[in-house]
Amino acid sequence: MRKIAVFIFLTFAACSLYAQQSSIQMAYNALLTENYSAAVKYYTEALQTQSSYAPSYHGRGQAYYYQNDYKKALNDFTVALKIDSNYFEAYFSRALCYIQLEKYANAIQDLTDALGKQNDVPEVYHARANAYYYMEEDDLAIADYTKAIELKKDFGMAYYGRAVVYLYKENHEAALKDLKQYLKINGDSDGLESEAKRLIAEIRERM
């Protein structure tokens, strides 16, 4: 009798695990195809089976983020970090939410925590530089944009961001150099080509 009970339990557990894995895979596929409402649905189904799986909260948080539902995204990233305090991606994702919500000090703290886990990701330095820029901490912003460029030589948006800060600091020569480098790398891939050219023309008038 005991053997039968164990068999039934193991079979049920295996089915539950399969269902959870299937939901996670479908959720991930939905994220890749930008079907964010479906991603939320499938991640929610997965969490009903296993409510302490941090990557499912992070994945659902990403789906909410791309739907511009930053408060729900923030909540899911926070839960993921409560489950796994070493979850690098969740710190980064939550920081991006904080930036959207204009909570820049919180974003800087999360990005600093992320860098404490992994300090060689240029996108994290770039995001923290943006937060410093919004807080008018220009020297700190320049330092982080520079670090992002050191780690990724063709990081066009880091050149653009640093150029804007240099412009505010009236370092026209440095701003001009960075804007030219941005155009060389990114062209109009970000839709900023005309703005970069306008800034270049403006700088040349001042010099």
Side-chain angles (χ1 to χ4, degrees):
M1 186 68 180
R2 185 175 295 177
K3 290 182 180 179
I4 295 173
V6 170
F7 173 77
I8 292 172
F9 172 77
L10 291 176
T11 303
F12 175 77
C15 289
S16 298
L17 180 61
Y18 175 78
Q20 186 225 7
Q21 289 175 337
S22 178
S23 293
I24 292 173
Q25 186 62 55
M26 288 189 291
Y28 180 70
N29 291 340
L31 269 183
L32 291 180
T33 58
E34 301 181 8
N35 188 349
Y36 302 123
S37 58
V40 168
K41 174 180 178 290
Y42 291 129
Y43 276 124
T44 301
E45 288 178 0
L47 287 166
Q48 289 171 352
T49 305
Q50 189 172 353
S51 61
S52 60
Y53 190 56
S56 289
Y57 284 104
H58 182 254
R60 190 173 68 177
Q62 287 183 303
Y64 282 135
Y65 179 89
Y66 289 120
Q67 290 179 309
N68 301 322
D69 195 339
Y70 302 120
K71 290 185 178 179
K72 285 184 179 179
L74 189 70
N75 181 69
D76 272 355
F77 296 141
T78 299
V79 174
L81 286 166
K82 286 180 180 178
I83 296 169
D84 182 0
S85 61
N86 292 311
Y87 202 156
F88 167 84
E89 291 84 359
Y91 281 110
F92 183 44
S93 297
R94 190 170 70 172
L96 297 181
C97 274
Y98 279 133
I99 289 174
Q100 292 293 338
L101 295 169
E102 300 183 5
K103 296 183 178 181
Y104 304 122
N106 298 75
I108 289 167
Q109 183 59 62
D110 270 357
L111 292 164
T112 301
D113 288 341
L115 290 169
K117 311 298 179 187
Q118 190 173 341
N119 65 1
D120 61 350
V121 181
E123 289 77 11
V124 179
Y125 287 99
H126 177 255
R128 193 171 68 172
N130 290 339
Y132 280 135
Y133 164 75
Y134 290 127
M135 293 187 72
E136 300 183 11
E137 295 283 358
D138 292 342
D139 291 337
L140 293 173
I142 287 172
D144 271 357
Y145 285 130
T146 301
K147 183 63 177 179
I149 291 166
E150 288 174 358
L151 291 168
K152 186 178 179 181
K153 301 298 184 185
D154 62 346
F155 200 159
M157 285 304 296
Y159 283 103
Y160 185 89
R162 191 172 67 174
V164 171
V165 180
Y166 278 140
L167 188 56
Y168 273 108
K169 290 175 69 68
E170 298 187 358
N171 188 340
H172 298 143
E173 186 175 340
L176 185 61
K177 182 179 178 181
D178 274 356
L179 286 168
K180 287 180 177 178
Q181 188 65 18
Y182 165 78
L183 288 173
K184 181 179 178 181
I185 294 169
N186 282 34
D188 198 33
S189 61
D190 305 305
L192 292 171
E193 182 178 34
S194 60
E195 178 63 12
K197 288 180 177 179
R198 184 192 69 79
L199 290 173
I200 287 172
E202 180 181 307
I203 291 168
R204 284 174 173 161
E205 288 179 2
R206 295 184 186 183
M207 292 177 71

